[in-house]
Amino acid sequence: MARMIPSVFDEDNKKELPAFPRTIGVVTSPTGAAIRDILNVTKRRNPGMNIIVLPAIVQERSTGQVLMLAYMNRESMQKTFETGYTWFYSRSRQELWNKGATSGHLQKVIDIKGDCDKDTLLVIVDQTGAACHTGSHSCFFNNIWEEFQNGKSE
């Protein structure tokens, strides 16, 4: 029997999806109250938005390193839950993309958490290869504070 998946991104666009277990590995499915709450709060904070996106901070499980920041909408989150790998929404291209689909640098989802304000996601992954399109393991390699401190002392 199919059940309604609560849409946090667009309450007016609920659709019937095949039933699947409440967990995939250790990832809670989008039928849980936490994901519903995050998406409902986001919708209230962004009334009239056609596509509601949430920032998704991606962190490597084994090192704790922040790898990248991307955005998820309802559809990309659903695909992430269905596949167990990260899917994001490109705001510039206005389309879904599967991290690593072309490079092979996949992100296997271990856990997804919502923050206290219910407007940001933390996606914990096992990373294969580099997370950054530059070939760097992390997208966060520009040492802005260090450069400022070095310039300040001169």
Side-chain angles (χ1 to χ4, degrees):
M1 178 175 142
R3 60 181 144 173
M4 295 297 286
I5 303 296
S7 169
V8 194
F9 294 102
D10 181 1
E11 274 300 310
D12 301 324
N13 188 25
K14 290 183 181 172
K15 64 181 182 180
E16 188 112 348
L17 296 171
F20 57 91
R22 288 190 58 85
T23 60
I24 302 170
V26 296
V27 179
T28 305
S29 80
T31 60
I35 194 66
R36 187 173 49 249
D37 289 349
I38 285 173
L39 295 173
N40 287 333
V41 167
T42 301
K43 181 176 181 178
R44 284 193 300 274
R45 289 184 183 164
N46 300 287
M49 282 185 68
N50 291 333
I51 297 175
I52 296 175
V53 295
L54 295 174
I57 300 164
V58 180
Q59 181 181 36
E60 188 171 38
R61 172 173 61 167
S62 63
T63 64
Q65 183 178 24
V66 174
L67 300 175
M68 58 182 280
L69 170 69
Y71 294 87
M72 289 183 145
N73 67 359
R74 183 179 191 273
E75 189 178 359
S76 66
M77 184 171 281
Q78 185 66 43
K79 289 185 84 60
T80 297
F81 281 113
E82 289 171 358
T83 65
Y85 289 88
T86 55
W87 283 80
F88 301 106
Y89 179 77
S90 170
R91 298 175 302 160
S92 59
R93 295 188 316 268
Q94 297 186 346
E95 65 184 18
L96 296 182
W97 58 282
N98 175 223
K99 179 64 180 166
T102 56
S103 67
H105 298 168
L106 298 169
Q107 296 174 333
K108 180 169 179 40
V109 176
I110 303 304
D111 198 2
I112 299 177
K113 298 181 182 296
D115 77 329
C116 59
D117 292 326
K118 300 178 181 177
D119 61 4
T120 304
L121 300 170
L122 175 63
V123 183
I124 301 166
V125 302
D126 283 339
Q127 177 70 43
T128 301
C132 186
H133 72 281
T134 65
S136 179
H137 188 66
S138 169
C139 293
F140 295 96
F141 55 82
N142 292 304
N143 295 314
I144 296 169
W145 185 252
E146 183 180 310
E147 289 175 16
F148 169 76
Q149 292 297 321
N150 289 339
K152 186 178 177 183
S153 63
E154 293 177 9

